[in-house]
Amino acid sequence: MCSSFDPGKCPTVSEMLSRLGDKWTVLIIMVLRNGPQRFSDIKRTVVGVSQRMLTLTLRALERDGMVRRTVYATVPPRVEYELTELGRSFSEPIQAFGGWVFENYNQIHAARAEFDARSEAERGNDKLIKIG
Amino acid sequence: MCSSFDPGKCPTVSEMLSRLGDKWTVLIIMVLRNGPQRFSDIKRTVVGVSQRMLTLTLRALERDGMVRRTVYATVPPRVEYELTELGRSFSEPIQAFGGWVFENYNQIHAARAEFDARSEAERGNDKLIKIG
DNA sequence: CTGGATCCGATTCGATACTG
DNA sequence: CAGTATCGAATCGGATCCAG
């Protein structure tokens, strides 16, 4: 058990944070919010994901209890993935975070533009100094 | 501008998510919540961070408008970092996420234990089948 | 003290080929 | 259809050295 939710004190928190950071986890969770999906459906919906990464990501989510995997003994095989209750709950703070970024989109990009302009200017000054 | 906060439709959202995923950003933000800090203070507090990564992470946060960097023209130089209003606001959904993990810590670890036991059992069965 | 530059090992991930 | 196995390219990050 961890003493607090400080990522520095709770490895699990930082693990889950880096989960969020990988390219596919969040996308897949969002897709699964629409209900159970087959492997190939997810692959089709999450544009650009490779078979390998889809498998690995789903496995990790399954291991953490976020996703339930159901195999139907048909031929060809049919495997369905769906969010567990835990997984659905997990998706809430993620949505909240996405919402925050969306709301503050303009401020972030304004800050970047200003920072980049400033850097550009400094490089320009350096040039002048060196030339002069 | 993005059409929604779906990471698939808004590159900025996925950028910020992968920020969370890197090893240091969240730790540094949490440290800065305690007020302005000097470079070496942060380095001392965030155990294990290299000079390089601290610099890079702070630069990225500064560029996004989360952190303000103030240089005092003393010798030796003194540089202070502090959260901006945007940065402080940014830390809220992060805290919320950390809180969620903390609250659901037990469920996550229970799921992992079960998953690992199951995998272990399957490997065991495979062995028996192969041997038998 | 702050932080830029470089080198290099480790990890990540996509592409490809193969299996039940 | 739903994976597993393997390989190579790219990226990441720590260690080290240097500078204002």
Side-chain angles (χ1 to χ4, degrees), chain B residues 3-121:
Chain B
S3 55
S4 87
F5 57 74
D6 178 348
K9 292 172 185 161
C10 183
T12 307
V13 170
S14 48
E15 277 173 39
M16 299 312 284
L17 279 167
S18 66
R19 242 355 116 56
L20 294 194
D22 77 53
K23 209 173 170 184
W24 306 114
T25 296
V26 172
L27 290 174
I28 291 171
I29 286 178
M30 290 314 170
V31 166
L32 289 180
R33 276 173 68 97
N34 300 327
Q37 312 268 334
R38 301 186 54 171
F39 186 86
S40 23
D41 291 335
I42 306 174
K43 181 150 169 35
R44 204 170 308 113
T45 308
V46 180
V47 182
V49 69
S50 66
Q51 203 169 45
R52 171 190 154 88
M53 289 318 292
L54 181 53
T55 302
L56 288 178
T57 307
L58 285 170
R59 282 286 177 283
L61 287 172
E62 190 194 355
R63 185 173 112 97
D64 286 347
M66 306 294 175
V67 160
R68 180 168 31 252
R69 177 171 177 269
T70 311
V71 182
Y72 297 92
T74 60
V75 35
R78 171 192 183 85
V79 181
E80 271 190 3
Y81 294 89
E82 62 183 324
L83 287 185
T84 60
E85 204 45 52
L86 187 67
R88 203 170 303 279
S89 164
F90 183 62
S91 74
E92 301 293 349
I94 297 178
Q95 287 261 39
F97 180 81
W100 185 94
V101 174
F102 191 61
E103 283 169 24
N104 295 272
Y105 183 95
N106 289 329
Q107 282 199 62
I108 294 173
H109 282 266
R112 286 182 184 174
E114 190 188 350
F115 183 91
D116 293 346
R118 216 177 278 271
S119 307
E120 188 64 29

Side-chain angles (χ1 to χ4, degrees), chain A residues 68-88:
Chain A
R68 180 167 32 250
R69 177 171 178 268
T70 310
V71 182
Y72 298 93
T74 59
V75 35
R78 172 193 182 84
V79 180
E80 273 191 2
Y81 294 89
E82 62 183 325
L83 287 185
T84 61
E85 205 43 53
L86 187 66
R88 203 169 303 279

Side-chain angles (χ1 to χ4, degrees), chain A residues 64-126:
Chain A
D64 287 346
M66 306 295 176
V67 160
R68 180 167 32 250
R69 177 171 178 268
T70 310
V71 182
Y72 298 93
T74 59
V75 35
R78 172 193 182 84
V79 180
E80 273 191 2
Y81 294 89
E82 62 183 325
L83 287 185
T84 61
E85 205 43 53
L86 187 66
R88 203 169 303 279
S89 164
F90 183 61
S91 73
E92 300 294 348
I94 298 176
Q95 287 261 39
F97 180 82
W100 185 93
V101 174
F102 192 61
E103 282 169 24
N104 296 273
Y105 182 96
N106 289 327
Q107 282 199 63
I108 295 172
H109 281 268
R112 286 183 187 175
E114 191 188 350
F115 183 91
D116 293 346
R118 217 176 278 271
S119 306
E120 187 64 29
E122 281 169 22
R123 272 201 301 278
N125 286 341
D126 284 358

Side-chain angles (χ1 to χ4, degrees), chain A residues 4 17 20 27 32 34-35 37-38 42 61 64 73 82 87 91 100 102 112 123 132:
Chain A
S4 85
L17 279 166
L20 293 195
L27 290 175
L32 288 180
N34 300 327
Q37 311 267 335
R38 300 185 55 170
I42 305 173
L61 288 172
D64 287 346
E82 62 183 325
S91 73
W100 185 93
F102 192 61
R112 286 183 187 175
R123 272 201 301 278

Side-chain angles (χ1 to χ4, degrees), chain A residues 37-46 54 58 77 79 81:
Chain A
Q37 311 267 335
R38 300 185 55 170
F39 185 88
S40 24
D41 290 336
I42 305 173
K43 180 150 171 35
R44 206 169 307 115
T45 308
V46 181
L54 181 53
L58 285 169
V79 180
Y81 294 89

